[in-house]
């Protein structure tokens, strides 16, 4: 394997951490030595480190994210999606948003205990908590550690409104818990599917579940009356932007209730990481893709403005919005809307006299 491209990883480099004064760089002579010897200049194996946060449920202040509270059992994500907005958050822990984000995973084994403390809180009123507001709660290490599973069992114990966002079919492992939550109108699941092409999935989201497995997850969840939304997020011009109608058609046939989308935005270190990746992975269309992304964000790769950052602006963004409008009208217009989650069960457990007021 050539050291110029790290197979099985999204990011191809470690960008500098903006919060650190010093920067680590690899000596070119060392790289040349590795190339001649056929060795890799760094360890590619994923490393896991336990951390001990004091809180687990986080309030989301952004007005255009669509969630009030999120909970993330893991920091960093081995899925390695090249576009992931969560990469920048890894810098707060002293790591790079590049390879470190997908190679150095921080594990919150005390998450279930912290979650239960939150649910028992005197002032907590049962607002929906979304798992994976930042990083995927069903990334590969969850198969072994089962932190997400333990958290979902607590949500069922307290009959608490629950949301999940994931691109991993491992969610079907917890079908038993999800079905019980669904019976009480306590669960809503969003499966992220950015493409119907396995080749696109492989290069853009290298360690995620296959497209076939994600489509199966949509179908199985829907068959068990678990409300499923599909997120086509993000739309990357000239990579998956041509797939909107066929993807919505497919997920509607499998039982999805709704579909959402965002347009890729390359904030912070992600811009450098993405440009390096696309020049190595898709050099023939790199310039075109980057220019089209800029066209969606006022001439910039970055966009942090509330109200425009998620859906973009300009003619290309308008075309994408129109395609989704057509797709929803054509394939999802007759689908029953997802009902609001019910927090009354939780409030009754917390206060048996709830119904008297």
């Amino acid at each position: 394997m050539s050291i110029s491209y790290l197979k099985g990883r999204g990011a191809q480099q470690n960008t500098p951490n903006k919060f650190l004064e010093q920067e680590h760089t690899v000596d070119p002579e060392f790289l040349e030595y590795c190339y001649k010897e056929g060795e890799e200049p760094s360890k590619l194996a994923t490393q896991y480190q336990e951390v001990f946060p004091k809180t687990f449920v986080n309030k989301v202040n952004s007005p255009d994210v669509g969630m009030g509270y999120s909970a993330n059992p893991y920091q960093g994500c081995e899925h390695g999606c090249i576009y992931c907005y969560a990469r920048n958050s890894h810098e707060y822990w002293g790591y790079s948003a590049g390879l470190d984000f997908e190679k150095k995973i921080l594990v919150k084994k005390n998450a279930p205990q912290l979650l239960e403390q939150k649910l028992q809180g005197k002032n907590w009123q049962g607002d929906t908590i979304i798992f994976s507001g930042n990083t995927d709660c069903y990334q590969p290490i969850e198969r072994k550690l089962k932190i997400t599973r333990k958290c979902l069992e607590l949500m069922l114990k307290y009959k608490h409104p629950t949301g999940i966002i994931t691109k991993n079919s491992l969610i079907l492992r917890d079908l038993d818990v999800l079905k019980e939550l669904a019976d009480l109108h306590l669960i809503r699941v969003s499966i992220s599917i950015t493409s119907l092409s396995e080749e696109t999935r492989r290069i853009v989201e290298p360690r995620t579940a296959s497209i076939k497995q994600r489509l199966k997850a949509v179908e199985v969840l829907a068959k068990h009356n678990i409300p499923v939304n599909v997120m086509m997020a993000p739309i990357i011009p000239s990579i998956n932007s041509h797939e909107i109608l066929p993807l919505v058609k497919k997920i509607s046939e499998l039982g999805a209730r709704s579909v959402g989308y965002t347009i890729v935005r390359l904030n912070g270190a992600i811009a450098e990481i993405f440009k390096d990746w696309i020049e190595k992975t898709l050099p023939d269309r790199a310039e075109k893709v980057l220019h089209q992304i800029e066209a969606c964000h006022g001439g910039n790769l970055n966009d942090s403005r509330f109200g425009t950052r998620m859906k973009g602006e300009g003619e290309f963004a308008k075309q994408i919005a129109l395609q989704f409008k057509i797709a929803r009208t054509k394939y999802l217009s007759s689908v029953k809307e997802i009902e609001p989650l019910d927090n009354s069960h939780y409030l009754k457990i917390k206060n048996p006299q709830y119904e008297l007021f």
Side-chain angles (χ1 to χ4, degrees):
M1 180 174 62
S2 170
I3 62 172
S4 62
Y5 188 83
L6 302 176
K7 188 176 181 181
R9 292 294 181 184
Q12 299 296 303
Q13 62 168 318
N14 262 333
T15 48
N17 186 323
K18 66 182 179 182
F19 298 111
L20 301 180
E21 293 183 0
Q22 297 179 330
E23 178 183 340
H24 177 270
T25 58
V26 181
D27 191 317
E29 292 185 6
F30 175 66
L31 291 176
E32 181 67 20
Y33 168 81
C34 290
Y35 180 75
K36 290 179 178 179
E37 296 296 321
E39 299 177 358
E40 290 295 337
S42 63
K43 295 180 179 179
L44 292 179
T46 306
Q47 304 168 38
Y48 304 99
Q49 178 181 334
E50 184 175 0
V51 293
F52 304 91
K54 294 182 179 179
T55 59
F56 177 56
V57 177
N58 307 299
K59 184 174 177 55
V60 179
N61 294 314
S62 171
D64 52 9
V65 171
M67 67 180 77
Y69 294 88
S70 71
N72 301 278
Y74 309 100
Q75 177 63 38
C77 185
E78 194 175 358
H79 283 157
C81 303
I82 191 60
Y83 52 75
C84 184
Y85 62 85
R87 286 182 177 275
N88 289 320
S89 65
H90 223 44
E91 293 186 340
Y92 293 110
W93 297 84
Y95 295 113
S96 169
L99 279 167
D100 281 354
F101 175 77
E102 51 198 271
K103 283 172 48 181
K104 297 181 179 180
I105 310 301
L106 308 181
V107 176
K108 305 173 185 177
K109 290 185 178 179
N110 65 340
Q113 290 76 26
L114 295 174
L115 176 61
E116 187 158 30
Q117 290 176 16
K118 184 69 173 180
L119 301 184
Q120 293 176 342
K122 180 180 179 181
N123 297 321
W124 184 248
Q125 295 299 307
D127 294 313
T128 301
I129 297 173
I130 308 290
F131 289 88
S132 299
N134 195 41
T135 55
D136 204 311
C137 63
Y138 280 110
Q139 58 182 283
I141 191 60
E142 168 62 19
R143 188 176 300 277
K144 176 183 178 181
L145 298 183
K146 300 181 180 179
I147 299 175
T148 299
R149 167 84 188 190
K150 295 172 185 175
C151 288
L152 290 178
E153 289 172 343
L154 279 172
M155 300 299 270
L156 178 59
K157 173 184 175 181
Y158 287 90
K159 294 182 172 55
H160 195 286
T162 308
I164 298 173
I165 306 171
T166 185
K167 56 188 62 178
N168 199 317
S169 58
L170 180 59
I171 188 174
L172 295 181
R173 178 201 64 188
D174 299 330
L175 190 60
D176 57 332
V177 179
L178 300 178
K179 287 193 295 184
E180 291 195 61
L181 287 168
D183 288 341
L184 297 169
H185 302 291
L186 295 174
I187 185 68
R188 183 177 299 165
V189 175
S190 286
I191 302 292
S192 175
I193 305 177
T194 50
S195 172
L196 292 175
S197 165
E198 186 60 20
E199 177 61 21
T200 300
R201 194 278 315 166
R202 185 185 63 80
I203 61 174
V204 176
E205 306 167 343
R207 297 199 178 195
T208 55
S210 69
I211 300 303
K212 180 180 179 180
Q213 288 300 312
R214 279 188 251 179
L215 291 173
K216 177 184 176 182
V218 172
E219 182 177 29
V220 172
L221 292 170
K223 282 184 177 179
H224 288 90
N225 297 315
I226 297 168
V228 184
N229 170 66
V230 168
M231 284 300 297
M232 195 176 179
I235 298 294
I236 307 175
S238 295
I239 291 182
N240 67 342
S241 53
H242 62 287
E243 296 190 70
I244 295 171
L245 265 70
L247 192 148
V248 176
K249 179 177 185 293
K250 183 64 177 180
I251 59 118
S252 69
E253 293 170 349
L254 297 175
R257 301 268 196 94
S258 60
V259 65
Y261 79 97
T262 62
I263 292 179
V264 68
R265 59 191 182 93
L266 306 176
N267 284 32
I270 305 172
E272 181 180 343
I273 294 166
F274 188 93
K275 286 191 289 184
D276 176 68
W277 167 83
I278 198 168
E279 287 167 359
K280 292 175 179 177
T281 309
L282 300 167
D284 58 326
R285 64 177 111 161
E287 186 174 352
K288 177 182 179 181
V289 172
L290 292 171
H291 284 325
Q292 288 183 333
I293 293 174
E294 290 173 339
C296 293
H297 298 296
N300 301 305
L301 292 174
N302 302 341
D303 191 353
S304 299
R305 297 169 297 166
F306 293 144
T308 62
R309 60 179 187 157
M310 295 299 187
K311 296 298 192 290
E313 59 185 355
E315 289 305 313
F316 198 88
K318 289 179 182 177
Q319 291 174 19
I320 291 173
L322 180 59
Q323 288 185 69
F324 270 98
K325 182 178 180 180
I326 294 171
R328 290 188 180 107
T329 300
K330 189 171 184 179
Y331 301 118
L332 292 170
S333 62
S334 62
V335 176
K336 182 180 178 182
E337 291 187 8
I338 298 177
E339 298 177 5
L341 299 185
D342 185 0
N343 70 347
S344 65
H345 304 289
Y346 166 75
L347 294 174
K348 290 174 188 176
I349 290 175
K350 187 174 180 180
N351 180 10
Q353 295 183 315
Y354 167 76
E355 292 183 322
L356 298 179
F357 296 93

